[in-house]
Amino acid sequence: MSVLAGKELRIVGFLCNWCSYGGADTAGVARATQPTDLRIVRVPCSGRIDPLFILRALLHGADGVLVSGCHPGDCHYAEGNYYARRRLEILKQFLPVLGIDPRRFEYTWISASEGQRWQLAVTKFTQQIHELGAAPAFENAEKLIQIADMALTALRPLGTGQHAALADLKKAIVEKLPELDCVIGWQQSYDAAHSAPLFMRKPEDVEKLVWGPLNVNNLATYLPQYKGKKVGIVVKGCDSRSVTQLLQEGLINRDDVVVFSMPCEGTLDMARINQALGAYQHIDKVAYDEAGVSITADGKEHRFCMVEYAQGKCYSCATPGAVLADVRLGTPTPVTGTPATPPELALLDSMSLSERFAFWHTQMERCIRCYACRNACPMCVCRDYCVAESRDPHWLTQEDTATEKFFFQTIHALHLAGRCTGCGECQRACPVGIPILALRQQIARAVAQTFEGYRPGMNAKATPPLMGFTVEENNIKEKDWNK
Amino acid sequence: MSIVYYPGCSAAGTSSDYEKSTQAVCDALGMSFTPLPDWNCCGSTPAHATSTELSAALSVRNLDIAAKMGAEKVATPCPSCLSNLRLAKKRMEKPEFRARVDELLDEASSAELPQTYSVMQLIYEKYGSEFVAHRVQRPLKGLKVACYYGCLMSRPADIMADFGHPENPQVMESLLRACGAEVVEFPLKTECCGASHGIPERQLTANLSGKILETAQNMGIDALVAACPLCQMNLDLRQKQAGKAMGKEFALPVFYYTQMMGMAFGIKLSALGLNKLVVSPEPVLKKWQAALKEGVCE
Amino acid sequence: MITRYFPADALTKVVASLADERRVLIPVTQPAVKKSVIFAPFSAGMTVELHKASVAPKEAVLPQCETLLTYSKQKDAEDPSKVNLVLDDKPQAQPTIVFGCRPCDARGFAVLDRPYLDGPFIDPYYQARRKQLIVITQTCPSVGTTCFCHWVGSGPNSTTGSDIMLTAIDGGYVLEAVTEKGEALLAGMKLEDGAPFMDKAKTARGTVEAQLAPAPDLTQAQEKIAARFNDNTFWEEQTAQCLSCGACTYMCPTCYCFNITDEGDGVCKAGRRLRTWDTCMSPLFTREASGHNARMSKAQRMKNRISHKFSTYPENWGGEFSCNGCGRCINNCPVNLDIRAIVLAAINEKGA
Amino acid sequence: MRIGVFICHCGSNIGGTVDCAKVAALAATFPDVVYATDPMYTCAEPGQAAIEEAIKNYQLDGVVVASCSPRMHEPTFRRTVERAGLNRYMFEMANIREHVSWIGKDIEANTNKAAELVKMAVAKLRNNKALHAASFDVNKKVLVIGGGVAGIQAALDCAEGGIPVVLVEREATIGGKMAKLDKTFPTVDCSACILGPKMVDVAQSPNITTYAYSEIESISGYVGNFTVTIRKKTTYVDWSKCTGCGACTEKCPSKKTPDAFNEVTGLTTAITIAFPQAIPKKAVINAQHCKKLLTGKCGVCAKTCPTGAINYEMKDELVTETVGAIVAATGYDLVDWTQYEQYGGGRYPDVITSLQYERLLSASGPTGGHIVRPSDGKEPKNVVFIQCVGSRDRSIGRPYCSGFCCMYTAKQAVLTKDHMPDSQSYVFYMDIRANGKLYDEFQRRAVEEYGTEYIRGRVSKIYPDGKGHLIVKGADTLLGQAVEVEADLVVLAVGVEAAKGAARLAEKLRISYDSYGFFMESHVKLKPVETNTAGVYLAGVCQGVKDIPASVAQGSAAAAKVLSLFSKDKLQSDPQISQVDIKRCIACGKCVQTCPFGAIELFDFRGQQKARVIETVCQGCGLCTATCPQGAIQLAHFTDNQILAEVDALCQC
């Protein structure tokens, strides 16, 4: 049983019980004729509507979703619709990057007495969906492969940080070590071309500390596990934003963390480097110079200059020096200009909605649901109780369809809305190289446009935008059904 | 900050005394205005009575010349010109109105038209009462005066917002107090004197001006101080008609505030056009000079 | 056993001919900024290139998500309270060839055979697929930096788990059957005999063998790692950098743990019982219904993973390690955790 | 699970455009549905009996009724299933009337939509759990904020009902604005005579503890268990010793203190007792005008006080009270009328407010009831009253009518004639609002018997004519001409707004208020004395403009609400609230941060921090459930799984 073929489309309505559901009742009592497509799901408050309900509907066969709550200021629960207004606005700006037409989702405010306004809204919205026609099914999207052009101009000189004050850093760490449980840094892993996180507890551990473009891991992801213990951490600019965001959300205590920082000159994109190196058995030597690194593998030397092989995020990095630090070494590097659109997002911007749908379907088919993207993310603190693998609530099935995997990516992206600092670890950790960072970058762009240029992790005192509200919103305009 | 001066038609005619004293006071304060070349009448009451587009076109032509000269502000002594020039600029914000006005002009007016200010407001804002007091050489000791703005100076409230409370402006009071005069709070200072009804409805103006003069006289003041050519004419020139209408004998000199300020700045009385006043200012001048000689302090 | 030869340019044609009656899984490169090679069915128009796959061909016998059974509830028309359940639990399998995997992949099938087929309970779903599988393994042309197959009893030319060995020589490929199944397949292929090329093949195999650095002695691994069981500080230090994601286990040719869940349709009128890959590195692996979790910390989980591969599996299944030394868990680890380092540390370091 | 489905015809309201039988047949095919029928009127007696019958016969665990809006009959049907032994939350409704049958005539589409809504309801019901209301004990004690007539009435009624009352009044005496009135309309009986005895009752009632000259510092807790901190402002007089003899007020040298009680119509001493019938009749020192406190020199009152009650070092004191309910009766203040420059903006001494005129009329006022002009002390002949000053005026943001000004002006005009037989009163008005009992008759008497001249028109300007009179210029719209009155005294009927600080108090009470500061009632027509916050009630003008009889009535109404709340020993909390799954919670604190009611707290559970919901404070909005990333907190009856089931029922099959 489903909608009447040819006459109706699948439109889901989420209405708050106190105002809009009452408004729909008033319209009914007034016998106001309305199209029958829309089926109403009643919720206590528009604040109860998790944007993921809407994505769940849109990705599983809904052609359109309409949300309606009390007018801001009239909420029966005082603040429910203030939070809803921000979350739904960010969701609406998130849909295009997924390949879903934003006109398939609208949110509006209708009070219990506004029967005509409900009739107008449901009629206009149903018309709007019929003009768009049935929504394309994600499972049937055809194949499309596109690759982002990673080379961009950086906002500040990229280098290998060889003349950074590594010795001073080591001395500073040894000094602080006795009062700390451990200090987290980087060390060389199984060969000179790979680094790994280092947990320094004794002075001799500190000797292994390295600093350079191979320090790709964001060490802030380990901090929540050490809550309650005193711990030190060496940070690049992007890592410091993650530390600040953890502080903003109270997931770590400021006086338990000692932050060591040196100005970062960019990190290498190991995926592209391994691509260029191809199969090799042994790394003979890794030599650094001002502009890049030359790696000798199986006797053959390969030259990688930073300008061409840095990670995407390093080009548009505006905080090479740490945003927050207790021990700050080296001279801060000047940053000029405003960040250009990150490469992965620029690729998606260049595509049409249907192309993006196809692009993501092809990418998601390769996903093996290993959740490295989630576990590498410093902001993902739900750790063992992620909704991706739970039965109560049962958001995701264990089926390996592209839709389920794509739905997890939207869950992760929306859970990070206004919190993701763009450190790029999710994409770097993905073993099959799916460019999932673009989804988070689109939300970061929407958050910046909607909340006066807000960027997460820049100010430890700031409240993440979706965790608060203002009564008057400058950049969120109410839907005008008369236009 | 170039300010263009727009004298207005009456400056050359009926209120030449207001014009002379305004120029004198501005020179004394070192306030330089560049005169607006090839200016035309702002349309005054008849124009906006017939068609708002015509009235706006007349005013906009002046503002356009000023804009093309690169002027940021236009100064004018006359409240009627002030209100027309400001109203025109406000109405030009609507695109369809602007289009109709531009049709009447030789060429389309510039997008950004300068804002108009009364000379009194510019003096007060630029110099403030302390500086004016500092310039005073012969304070208006012994003179008890009341200020009369007329009904246009501070209205309509949304366009004249920067001039003070529409019912109770205080700019002229503070300037005259700075000049040493004893200023009485005159409750009818923004009531209408009858304006241009003096011609078609003589009796109406007589009543309205009569009431103003009667209340002013009851307050025992030496002189009424006005800032508008038309109000000054109704109160001074038509004082006898008003007296007849009220059945009272009025002998209340009506000065322009610039004349009073000129006197305080020590400018030669002849340069202030006092001779043009119908109700003789002599008793006020004698009382003032007497007070100055004896160094009488209140 | 019989041998065959075909020139290099005939590679795609040979695979195409195999693909007529069977599904042929070949390593297919997925273009991306970070390329990955995944075994995918051959279809017309593809050109075959033999690269080492990022993900093991385990999919051929143990798919990431397979339907164990489907159920639907039919209601009795007259009495809605009467419901009968229709079940269908027939295993689905199709004849498949894995073409061009590496010895460290093929050995994975052998490792999986033991628990699924040789144990007390034979898994019918696995068995159905395993029976119809033929493995054509390419002897390892180049050894990677993270390869350590020769540490664990395998090698670049190991034939364990393979039916036919394919060796690239200049100008062509030599096929050598190692099992009856392989021989039967080769016999049916109209290719020239491979005997004249065998010595060339042997030299090619030898050259790769020589590249290998000497392997450490892991014979004591089983006991030494078992002895490490209570040394918690050791495991905590070794696992400090692990993020407990699932990349290593899902890429591994020899991880065979799975999870079973029932997934219904919108209103649970019908549904499916799914078997999906599980990862022992995730806390959910040992979380019981009560919420108690035997292995709460990632150190315990890592201990279990290393011990299983190098101690308990050999103990249960006659001494063979259940790690093929393919190095995929090292390549794909987001924090570059090296299993070799842990094993060596467990064996050599003194300590409890 | 065994579900019964009832598709209601609602006569022809639904049956007319929905094939109910077909929907029932389709419903029978949904999973777990074991019984489906289509009764004619489900909400009627037979309909409900049929449901109870079916529950017994088919051992149903859940019921779905497809009929009208749940906002209408959900409570009815919940009681029905409860009577049959089912938990009332094992019940769902599908709205196939207002949202289906009444919005279109297309029978095929309506029937299909009705079936789908039933399928959604069944899908949700299959995830419902039985919910049980928690009960908690009630602290049967009430706090009344504001000692005006409404507050006094509420306090007395509650005390009468045996409930201990804590009455907090900001001024030094209770009585509020009514105590300042001389006479009251329409009976012209003396305000002090009818209010005084009630004030004395308050003082003498054993159940009422009065905190005068005190304000609410903070309020926490929930219905049945509020904790209130009260700030006893320092009076510099120890009220336990002060007998109210007034000796200090005679001797105090600082005679130029503005008399706040008399609306500054006169001056008084720094230490005062507001008015003779003040309750409590205790002295208070005005710190801004007391020489001793300002300069350290004086101390006359300390010397003269027979009981040594004066204490210059006395500080504010914070007192805590625990109560079960709160009645807000904070009354009103006059609009700041000095923004009307055309009425002199406060510069003309002879232009006074109606409240100041009330003090001039009052025998206990500064002039002993003798009406004089503040400027020269002479008796005025022409008294002009101007109505709607600061009411019905959109330009200053006060578009509403203040309700009682027309009536008190008529009364003041009558009293003016009484006091000064040869005086002449004029009233400039727009419309006379006299809609109470005996009101219009009283106003007619002011016109016909007392010769008050009513001029229908607005006043454009008041100005001194220089000879001691005030010229009141206005229009007379009935005669169609301008009019001027030479007035000796002008009384402005100033509009009313919420008492100063009402907004801040509303935030402490967690109730909402409108842009004028009036508190927001739960429903303007049906629940005028309740608010959206359980346990907080309203009385008097703080809820909106009203006259004394209405304020007294609301005082009693609020008291009735409190008494009914306290009639039960235990209070039931609404079970449709959030619950935390301790296992899943990682104490990230997001729910605590977003909960509008502060109903979630972090607590220590075996060494780990976990979130916990305070059942009685949670209102069931579900914001926390939408905020918690790992779904650790779920709003009962609207859990993620229930809503997902509805969405999946629509989108997936």
Side-chain angles (χ1 to χ4, degrees), chain D residues 339-417:
Chain D
Q339 59 191 302
Y340 288 96
E341 291 285 346
Q342 58 267 39
Y343 297 160
R347 289 192 304 277
Y348 305 146
D350 291 338
V351 178
I352 60 172
T353 70
S354 46
L355 212 46
Q356 285 172 317
Y357 192 55
E358 203 66 38
R359 293 316 300 154
L360 292 183
L361 288 167
S362 165
S364 68
T367 63
H370 181 45
I371 302 172
V372 293
R373 287 161 35 105
S375 59
D376 55 12
K378 290 212 205 64
E379 216 179 62
K381 183 178 175 316
N382 288 351
V383 179
V384 172
F385 297 89
I386 303 178
Q387 297 306 99
C388 302
V389 176
S391 298
R392 302 179 66 188
D393 186 347
R394 233 187 297 282
S395 70
I396 61 152
R398 291 291 177 270
Y400 54 84
C401 159
S402 294
F404 45 58
C405 326
C406 287
M407 286 315 296
Y408 71 58
T409 292
K411 175 202 70 183
Q412 287 180 341
V414 163
L415 294 175
T416 306
K417 199 66 177 175

Side-chain angles (χ1 to χ4, degrees), chain A residues 200-462:
Chain A
M200 297 171 266
R201 289 188 170 71
K202 303 185 288 304
E204 52 273 25
D205 298 338
V206 181
E207 273 323 302
K208 299 184 204 153
L209 182 66
V210 292
W211 177 269
L214 293 179
N215 296 1
V216 288
N217 307 83
N218 182 346
L219 304 174
T221 193
Y222 298 108
L223 289 179
Q225 298 146 22
Y226 284 95
K227 191 166 189 186
K229 297 202 198 88
K230 286 233 176 310
V231 71
I233 179 172
V234 184
V235 289
K236 313 192 286 292
C238 42
D239 311 340
S240 73
R241 292 206 304 271
S242 303
V243 174
T244 311
Q245 182 67 26
L246 287 171
L247 286 171
Q248 280 181 253
E249 297 182 25
L251 297 171
I252 51 174
N253 307 331
R254 183 66 189 87
D255 35 30
D256 287 354
V257 181
V258 175
V259 182
F260 301 87
S261 91
M262 291 206 290
C264 165
E265 294 184 353
T267 53
L268 283 169
D269 184 340
M270 292 312 292
R272 286 193 283 137
I273 287 192
N274 288 336
Q275 219 79 332
L277 289 177
Y280 60 87
Q281 192 192 353
H282 185 256
I283 296 285
D284 308 327
K285 185 161 67 63
V286 173
Y288 296 96
D289 56 60
E290 272 307 307
V293 63
S294 43
I295 299 176
T296 320
D298 292 353
K300 189 159 172 293
E301 193 186 323
H302 303 261
R303 175 86 178 85
F304 302 105
C305 52
M306 288 300 290
V307 174
E308 208 193 324
Y309 278 90
Q311 288 200 80
K313 65 170 184 181
C314 297
Y315 293 100
S316 51
C317 170
T319 58
V323 166
L324 156 142
D326 298 310
V327 177
R328 196 182 285 274
L329 299 161
T331 54
T333 37
V335 176
T336 50
T338 52
T341 311
E344 301 90 350
L345 189 56
L347 169 70
L348 278 149
D349 285 347
S350 65
M351 295 189 209
S352 71
L353 283 176
S354 53
E355 280 170 345
R356 289 181 200 144
F357 224 44
F359 172 81
W360 284 121
H361 182 257
T362 320
Q363 295 291 343
M364 284 303 139
E365 269 179 339
R366 294 192 299 115
C367 165
I368 57 168
R369 284 185 85 150
C370 67
Y371 292 117
C373 52
R374 175 192 67 190
N375 286 35
C377 172
M379 290 303 118
C380 269
V381 286
C382 309
R383 284 290 170 245
D384 315 341
Y385 288 97
C386 174
V387 287
E389 297 146 317
S390 96
R391 303 287 297 177
D392 180 15
H394 188 201
W395 283 91
L396 278 176
T397 69
Q398 290 309 317
E399 310 215 12
D400 72 344
T401 61
T403 311
E404 289 300 293
K405 300 178 202 174
F406 193 38
F407 188 48
F408 169 71
Q409 287 304 329
T410 57
I411 289 178
H412 192 200
L414 277 169
H415 280 179
L416 288 170
R419 302 173 57 228
C420 164
T421 61
C423 74
E425 281 295 89
C426 52
Q427 178 165 300
R428 188 188 64 76
C430 175
V432 289
I434 302 175
I436 49 175
L437 184 55
L439 298 177
R440 288 112 181 117
Q441 286 165 340
Q442 162 65 12
I443 290 190
R445 182 167 61 179
V447 164
Q449 275 156 6
T450 313
F451 303 117
E452 268 87 28
Y454 176 82
R455 285 182 61 235
M458 298 300 283
N459 161 9
K461 298 277 177 304

Side-chain angles (χ1 to χ4, degrees), chain A residues 112-168:
Chain A
S113 56
E114 293 176 313
Q116 291 97 355
R117 183 169 158 78
W118 168 254
Q119 177 191 26
L120 177 68
V122 75
T123 311
K124 276 283 174 73
F125 184 68
T126 307
Q127 222 171 1
Q128 181 172 312
I129 297 302
H130 276 274
E131 276 153 20
L132 292 173
F138 188 67
E139 279 309 317
N140 313 345
E142 75 283 12
K143 208 165 172 46
L144 172 69
I145 290 179
Q146 298 253 11
I147 299 176
D149 158 23
M150 295 310 281
L152 283 157
T153 49
L155 295 182
R156 51 51 167 130
L158 292 171
T160 58
Q162 285 320 296
H163 38 68
L166 182 54
D168 301 346

